[in-house]
């Protein structure tokens, strides 16, 4: 995957991409979301390996804000109606080009950004229009390891996956020494 070689930034839609897409609502509004631990570990690992990571989502949610803090992502952009404009701001902030940005989304509102990003992806259960636009279709559904598969694919294309895995081995050894 030639396009993956230049990636320095990973951005993800949330509902339907990092979650199965279910919106659990109570009288006061949104009360829960389901995230997959493997997606979270991969996002945190990408961040630790020096990639810029974060979320660009149309919904506003304290749950998403908390998940971003937990994973130490670089950005959490919520309530975004123009995802292309949001990404342009990020690229300017970090001094990156479009070809250095990867984005994963699952539905029609993700298409404009997927078509501009250097590398685009979607979960296995993304809508057909998004699947047609994606450079990579995860073998996993949204909220079920799709983001993990995407990050792993990029790191392997950049020959960084072994280094990433070894970083956990070193961390474990270092922790044991303390």
């Amino acid at each position: 995957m030639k396009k993956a070689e230049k990636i320095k930034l990973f951005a993800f839609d949330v509902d339907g991409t990092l979650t199965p897409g279910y919106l659990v609502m109570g009288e006061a509004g949104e009360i829960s979301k389901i995230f997959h631990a493997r997606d979270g570990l991969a996002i945190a690992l990408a961040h630790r390996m020096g990639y810029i990571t974060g979320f660009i989502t149309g919904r506003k949610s304290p749950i998403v804000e908390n998940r971003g803090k937990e994973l130490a992502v670089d950005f959490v952009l919520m309530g975004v109606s123009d995802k292309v404009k949001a990404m342009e701001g990020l690229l300017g902030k970090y001094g990156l080009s479009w070809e250095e940005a990867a984005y994963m989304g699952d539905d029609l509102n993700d298409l404009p950004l997927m078509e501009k990003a250097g590398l685009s992806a979607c979960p296995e259960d993304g809508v057909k229009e998004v699947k047609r636009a994606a450079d990579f279709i995860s073998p996993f559904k949204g909220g079920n390891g799709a983001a993990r598969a995407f990050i792993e694919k990029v790191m392997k294309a950049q020959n960084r996956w072994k280094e990433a895995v070894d970083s956990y081995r070193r961390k474990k050894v270092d922790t044991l020494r303390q």
Side-chain angles (χ1 to χ4, degrees):
M1 186 185 289
K2 191 79 171 155
K3 290 180 174 185
E5 294 174 6
K6 296 181 181 182
I7 298 305
K8 295 180 181 177
L9 180 149
F10 286 101
F12 297 91
D13 173 49
V14 177
D15 295 317
T17 302
L18 295 179
T19 76
Y22 305 116
L23 301 175
V24 182
M25 305 292 277
E27 288 181 25
E30 184 177 77
I31 57 172
S32 70
K33 289 186 184 288
I34 297 171
F35 295 94
H36 200 293
R38 288 186 194 139
D39 287 335
L41 188 134
I43 292 167
L45 177 60
H47 178 79
R48 181 165 53 173
M49 295 297 296
Y51 295 91
I52 299 161
T53 60
F55 312 144
I56 302 175
T57 180
R59 297 180 58 82
K60 292 182 181 180
S61 168
I63 296 167
V64 172
E65 188 174 350
N66 290 338
R67 185 66 169 154
K69 286 178 186 173
E70 179 182 45
L71 300 177
V73 298
D74 297 289
F75 58 91
V76 176
L77 304 179
M78 296 186 290
V80 176
S81 59
D82 186 341
K83 292 184 178 188
V84 171
K85 187 174 180 179
M87 180 65 85
E88 285 173 347
L90 290 169
L91 296 176
K93 176 180 179 178
Y94 293 110
L96 299 176
S97 67
W98 277 103
E99 65 184 5
E100 295 171 306
Y103 180 72
M104 181 178 240
D106 70 301
D107 214 336
L108 299 177
N109 61 327
D110 296 306
L111 279 172
L113 182 48
M114 290 179 70
E115 291 168 351
K116 292 255 327 177
L119 182 66
S120 63
C122 72
E124 183 274 331
D125 58 344
V127 301
K128 66 181 176 182
E129 294 85 359
V130 167
K131 284 182 168 182
R132 279 196 292 261
D135 297 307
F136 174 75
I137 300 171
S138 175
F140 302 103
K141 293 180 179 182
N144 197 29
R148 163 67 178 262
F150 184 41
I151 290 168
E152 188 173 330
K153 183 83 169 172
V154 170
M155 285 190 187
K156 284 180 176 178
Q158 294 180 355
N159 294 313
R160 297 197 66 200
W161 184 247
K162 183 181 181 321
E163 174 190 359
V165 171
D166 288 347
S167 76
Y168 273 94
R169 289 185 177 119
R170 283 191 307 274
K171 182 174 175 130
K172 187 174 182 181
V173 170
D174 291 344
T175 301
L176 292 175
R177 288 182 187 156
Q178 294 180 11

